[in-house]
Amino acid sequence: MRGRLIAALLPALLPPLLAACDVAGSFRGMAVEPPREIPGFSFVLPGGTRYATAAEAGRPMLLFFGYTHCPDVCPTTLADFARVRQALGEQASRVRFVFVTVDPERDTPEVAQRYAMGFDSTFVGLSGDSATTAGLQQAFGVASVREPGSEATGYLVGHASQVFLLDDRGRLVAIHPFGSGWDALAADVRRLL
Amino acid sequence: MTWCVPSRPHPASRRPARGAGPAAAPVAAVALVALLGACGTDAGKNDTPAEEPPLRLAAAWARQADSGKISAAYLTLENRADAPVAIRQFGSEAVQAVELHENMTEDGMTHMHARAILEVPAGGRVTMAPGGLHLMLIGTQRTLAPGDTVRLTLEMEDGRSQQVAVPVQRP
């Protein structure tokens, strides 16, 4: 019984293990070993078209959760994204830079898109309904929580501050905690190009 | 995390660069005092010479932002006096409100907390930086573009106040 179970699982386990060996130890961020499959989610863009976070062949993805009322960590991270994009030169067009708001109530699809594009016109800013937002966060193993602010700020949102790097098969391969540095991020993206 | 690391030397550090003339430090200090004094709304109104500002702005920048949005400013303040200086409020003509916040990151989740008082220790400095201590600029009254200046007023607990000019930068 146990033998049969292992035999059945082996084909499923081997590829991710081998893939992990391929790149293990060489990411400057925290390598995810084995890489974790992240299901794709669909977001409505301004104008009604849709954007899927699902994998695109040949295009790795950097993804960050934040919100536009965030004065510090979020703009710092998206500014780092812009530096990464600049450092990648011609290869940059192959990378998907994605910002997902954890505050869809205040950040409409228009607000989220405009915010992301303020850092670079190629960046994608996404705002989904609460189920989509929660589902995507859950897939990455993170969460966000609404916290009281002042009359001036309105509520604040505690949120994951890492940057997630996914390969072109939709697998999470590395995590960069806030403050890891844009150059480390650029180096890890280059590994996937 | 980078914000835990002691900050790099600031461009406007106390010591003049090697090779600068012996007069460089006093000249720089006088120029800075004059600049800071010029920011004060009361400058020149009194016959008595202006009191030396309690704090020295060693470095500062504010993040560019559209009108009606959120921004942040980061100051490095030095207190060369023998007594601590406590700032109880920040204000600015450029925004609706200024709040002192600090980010705390635990298990990868970042939370922002408001802080009521900023104390600059006697003979010490406070450094604000992305990911840590910062001034949240709420409701920008105009577009803050690189090259612009945001004037901030620092209200001390002892009733004194000081104005500082913060350059806007692209982050």
Side-chain angles (χ1 to χ4, degrees):
Chain A
M1 179 70 183
R2 188 183 294 172
R4 239 194 300 167
L5 184 66
I6 291 170
L9 282 176
L10 258 183
L13 286 173
L14 265 179
L17 280 172
L18 291 174
C21 295
D22 200 16
V23 291
S26 44
F27 281 116
R28 288 175 61 182
M30 294 158 50
V32 179
E33 295 168 23
R36 190 196 308 168
E37 298 275 351
I38 302 290
F41 286 81
S42 178
F43 289 81
V44 179
L45 291 173
T49 55
R50 297 193 80 88
Y51 183 89
T53 61
E56 283 181 34
R59 301 194 69 198
M61 175 163 69
L62 285 174
L63 186 140
F64 177 71
F65 293 103
Y67 66 118
T68 71
H69 283 65
C70 157
D72 182 50
V73 164
C74 308
T76 300
T77 301
L78 289 177
D80 279 352
F81 274 19
R83 288 190 186 93
V84 170
R85 189 171 200 286
Q86 210 166 16
L88 291 174
E90 286 180 4
Q91 289 183 303
S93 59
R94 288 176 51 199
V95 182
R96 303 161 77 192
F97 294 88
V98 178
F99 162 79
V100 181
T101 183
V102 293
D103 184 15
E105 189 176 311
R106 289 186 295 197
D107 295 341
T108 60
E110 289 78 9
V111 170
Q113 187 185 63
R114 182 176 159 75
Y115 181 74
M117 288 176 70
F119 293 87
D120 189 286
S121 60
T122 65
F123 288 0
V124 176
L126 301 175
S127 171
D129 55 33
S130 53
T132 305
T133 308
L136 186 61
Q137 288 188 90
Q138 198 176 9
F140 284 95
V142 298
S144 56
V145 57
R146 195 181 284 202
E147 293 164 342
S150 67
E151 199 179 317
T153 61
Y155 64 85
L156 305 173
V157 186
H159 61 96
S161 52
Q162 309 97 325
V163 170
F164 298 103
L165 175 60
L166 287 83
D167 66 13
D168 70 348
R169 285 190 274 171
R171 303 177 312 168
L172 174 63
V173 292
I175 298 172
H176 283 246
F178 178 81
S180 300
W182 67 267
D183 47 343
L185 205 52
D188 283 1
V189 171
R190 272 200 198 94
R191 288 196 51 78
L192 301 179
L193 291 171
Chain B
M1 309 273 168
T2 50
W3 63 90
C4 299
V5 176
S7 60
R8 288 186 294 272
H10 289 275
S13 73
R14 268 172 270 181
R15 224 167 2 163
R18 193 180 292 247
V27 166
V30 168
L32 195 70
V33 168
L35 279 171
L36 291 174
C39 300
T41 48
D42 293 328
K45 281 185 187 169
N46 300 326
D47 293 330
T48 50
E51 195 184 334
E52 190 175 332
L55 296 171
R56 178 175 173 271
L57 188 66
W61 69 282
R63 182 176 287 109
Q64 66 172 19
D66 287 343
S67 178
K69 296 294 182 186
I70 300 288
S71 181
Y74 305 89
L75 315 182
T76 298
L77 295 164
E78 284 182 356
N79 175 10
R80 285 183 284 183
D82 299 335
V85 172
I87 305 168
R88 62 170 181 82
Q89 198 169 2
F90 295 85
S92 174
E93 37 73 46
V95 300
Q96 286 170 0
V98 181
E99 291 184 9
L100 176 66
H101 285 201
E102 187 163 26
N103 278 322
M104 304 282 188
T105 299
E106 210 173 328
D107 296 330
M109 193 184 249
T110 297
H111 306 270
M112 202 160 71
H113 301 283
R115 275 182 51 172
I117 300 281
L118 180 66
E119 185 172 291
V120 187
R125 64 157 58 182
V126 166
T127 303
M128 302 184 192
L133 202 59
H134 60 275
L135 294 175
M136 182 169 178
L137 308 181
I138 305 149
T140 47
Q141 308 272 30
R142 52 185 163 87
T143 299
L144 305 182
D148 290 350
T149 297
V150 173
R151 293 188 190 288
L152 287 175
T153 306
L154 286 50
E155 307 273 353
M156 318 300 170
E157 261 193 336
D158 60 10
R160 289 182 293 176
S161 73
Q162 181 176 346
Q163 289 208 347
V164 294
V166 180
V168 175
Q169 293 177 6
R170 194 180 165 83

